């Protein structure tokens, strides 16, 4: 899908049919024909398009002197299922690429999936967006990405707290898998945020992308948001890792207690089998000639064994907690 947008004179963003100077071209999951148009008609470098459509591409800044194009790629966060994966249960990150084309006065974004960042910019939810100022447009986009990280990190924290409450009541595989998915999400976020921070620091130097005074202030805001997100991701990750370790110890301790109970019950219940085994032999044993032995020995032994088990369980009444 290819869409073109341009800022109107009154400040709003409108969709236009054909790309022109000062516009923003948004490309999402391009087909073979759209990719050919992007490279042939619009003039975006083939290697930039290939990198933009690579799901595993890391965040970086690149510049090609021959065609005077600047390529910026960052990772943005996505919610479970936002990438079209059925049954996804964890947050993840995806690459979002931006290409500066000063020779045509255009700004191009390329992504593999529809995302919140692009939708917010295209719908005009972010104030002060002007497609004619490419550097500021880039920084506003990066600011929205960093804010989205903070939003999703808070959601992960709330979700982990609710899952932990359910784990206190019942340790089930479903809650443990949810906690594991959240821990993996935080690892993905932390790794991507650190890569994005490196890219922002390169932009901050101003050698590849020229920065004006207002752009410097906006870039500082973006860096503050990204560093805050990195700190939050590290804190949440350490907390969640400690919680998982604590619940693993609790599960192991509960298993040891259950095995201890079963072992004691097994030993006590073995006593009747030993006695009955003796009296089942074809040898003379004490008291086997007494008339009540054949009638009462079986229930008597079972009753004694049951009393021993019950006494031990009540003595250890706190063992199940």
């Amino acid at each position: 899908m290819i869409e073109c947008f341009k800022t109107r004179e009154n400040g709003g963003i409108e969709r236009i049919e054909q790309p022109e100077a000062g516009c923003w071209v948004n490309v999402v999951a391009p087909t073979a024909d759209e990719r050919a148009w992007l490279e042939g008609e619009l003039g975006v470098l083939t290697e930039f398009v290939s990198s933009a459509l690579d799901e595993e591409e890391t965040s970086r800044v690149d510049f090609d002197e021959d065609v005077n194009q600047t390529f910026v790629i960052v990772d943005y966060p996505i919610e479970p299922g936002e990438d079209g994966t059925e049954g996804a249960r964890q947050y993840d990150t995806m690459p979002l690429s931006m290409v500066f084309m000063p020779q045509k006065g255009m700004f191009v974004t390329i992504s593999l999936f529809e995302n919140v960042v692009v939708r917010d910019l295209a719908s005009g939810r972010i104030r002060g967006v002007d497609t004619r100022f490419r550097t500021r447009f880039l920084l506003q986009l990066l600011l929205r990405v960093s804010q989205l990280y903070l939003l999703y990190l808070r959601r992960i924290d709330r979700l982990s707290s609710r899952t932990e409450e359910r784990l206190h009541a019942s340790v089930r595989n479903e809650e443990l898998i949810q906690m594991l998915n959240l821990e993996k999400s935080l690892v993905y976020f932390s790794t991507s945020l650190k890569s994005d921070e490196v890219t922002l620091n390169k932009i901050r130097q101003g050698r590849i992308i020229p920065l004006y005074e207002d752009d410097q202030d906006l870039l500082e805001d973006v860096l503050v948001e990204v560093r805050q997100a990195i700190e939050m991701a590290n804190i949440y990750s350490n907390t969640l890792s400690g919680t998982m370790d604590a619940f693993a110890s609790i599960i192991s301790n509960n298993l040891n207690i259950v095995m201890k109970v079963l072992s004691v019950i097994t030993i006590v219940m073995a006593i009747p089998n030993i006695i009955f085994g003796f009296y089942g032999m074809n040898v003379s044993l004490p008291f086997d000639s007494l008339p009540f032995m054949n009638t009462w020995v079986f229930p008597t032994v079972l009753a004694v064994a049951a009393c021993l088990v019950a006494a031990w369980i009540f003595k250890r009444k706190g063992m199940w907690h």
Side-chain angles (χ1 to χ4, degrees):
M1 180 185 69
I2 298 178
E3 298 176 310
C4 300
F5 300 92
K6 189 175 182 179
T7 302
R8 298 190 298 264
E9 294 298 331
N10 60 4
I13 292 182
E14 65 178 354
R15 184 172 178 177
I16 58 178
E17 295 299 327
Q18 296 295 329
E20 58 185 59
C23 77
W24 161 38
V25 180
N26 177 44
V27 182
V28 179
T31 62
D33 293 337
E34 291 173 340
R35 180 170 177 174
W37 178 88
L38 191 62
E39 298 173 2
E41 297 294 329
L42 207 60
V44 181
L45 283 178
T46 303
E47 52 265 33
F48 288 171
V49 177
S50 300
S51 298
L53 299 178
D54 184 1
E55 190 173 327
E56 302 299 327
E57 191 73 24
T58 57
S59 179
R60 61 186 174 88
V61 180
D62 197 1
F63 176 71
D64 191 283
E65 296 180 355
D66 296 334
V67 295
N68 192 25
Q69 289 185 12
T70 303
F71 178 73
V72 181
I73 182 171
V74 296
D75 290 328
Y76 70 93
I78 61 173
E79 290 186 293
E82 193 174 343
D83 58 351
T85 304
E86 295 293 335
R89 303 182 62 181
Q90 67 189 31
Y91 289 81
D92 205 341
T93 59
M94 282 291 169
L96 175 61
S97 304
M98 294 140 281
V99 183
F100 281 78
M101 304 184 67
Q103 73 277 15
K104 292 189 176 182
M106 298 180 187
F107 185 87
V108 181
T109 58
I110 307 174
S111 55
L112 291 167
F113 306 99
E114 284 274 3
N115 57 82
V116 178
V117 179
V118 171
R119 288 199 300 267
D120 288 347
L121 287 172
S123 61
R125 295 176 184 173
I126 301 177
R127 295 190 302 174
V129 175
D130 195 326
T131 58
R132 295 169 295 182
F133 303 121
R134 294 181 295 275
T135 301
R136 174 167 288 273
F137 187 84
L138 167 68
L139 295 177
Q140 288 172 326
L141 189 148
L142 294 177
L143 180 62
R144 180 54 183 154
V145 169
S146 61
Q147 292 171 344
L148 203 60
Y149 271 113
L150 293 173
L151 175 63
Y152 288 171
L153 282 169
R154 294 188 182 97
R155 290 182 183 178
I156 289 175
D157 183 48
R158 291 195 295 268
L159 184 57
S160 64
S161 298
R162 292 196 297 267
T163 305
E164 185 178 346
E165 291 176 359
R166 293 198 300 269
L167 275 172
H168 283 296
S170 173
V171 180
R172 299 184 302 175
N173 289 338
E174 183 179 353
E175 281 78 15
L176 293 174
I177 292 174
Q178 179 66 55
M179 296 285 278
L180 179 61
N181 288 331
L182 293 177
E183 190 173 14
K184 290 170 63 178
S185 300
L186 290 172
V187 172
Y188 295 151
F189 277 17
S190 179
T191 304
S192 297
L193 282 166
K194 291 176 182 177
S195 298
D196 289 351
E197 184 185 21
V198 173
T199 300
L200 288 170
N201 285 326
K202 290 182 179 179
I203 296 175
R204 187 182 187 184
Q205 296 173 3
R207 292 199 300 264
I208 299 178
I209 299 176
L211 297 174
Y212 300 97
E213 184 177 352
D214 292 340
D215 298 334
Q216 289 281 1
D217 295 337
L218 184 55
L219 180 57
E220 290 295 332
D221 293 340
V222 178
L223 280 168
V224 169
E225 297 283 334
V226 168
R227 288 166 182 164
Q228 180 182 353
I230 292 174
E231 188 67 23
M232 288 176 61
N234 291 334
I235 293 173
Y236 293 161
S237 181
N238 293 334
T239 302
L240 194 56
S241 178
T243 302
M244 290 287 290
D245 292 340
F247 276 109
S249 300
I250 292 173
I251 293 172
S252 178
N253 185 56
N254 289 341
L255 180 61
N256 291 335
I257 292 175
V258 171
M259 294 303 298
K260 181 178 179 181
V261 173
L262 294 177
S263 298
V264 171
I265 293 176
T266 301
I267 293 173
V268 173
M269 295 304 296
I271 296 176
N273 292 330
I274 297 174
I275 297 175
F276 299 150
F278 284 149
Y279 280 89
M281 300 180 193
N282 293 324
V283 295
S284 178
L285 293 174
F287 310 111
D288 60 350
S289 60
L290 296 178
F292 67 86
M293 289 297 294
N294 294 331
T295 305
W296 296 102
V297 66
F298 183 74
T300 301
V301 173
L302 286 180
V304 171
C307 289
L308 291 175
V309 172
W312 186 84
I313 290 177
F314 281 112
K315 183 179 179 182
R316 306 283 296 179
K317 62 181 179 179
M319 65 187 301
W320 301 104
H321 300 286

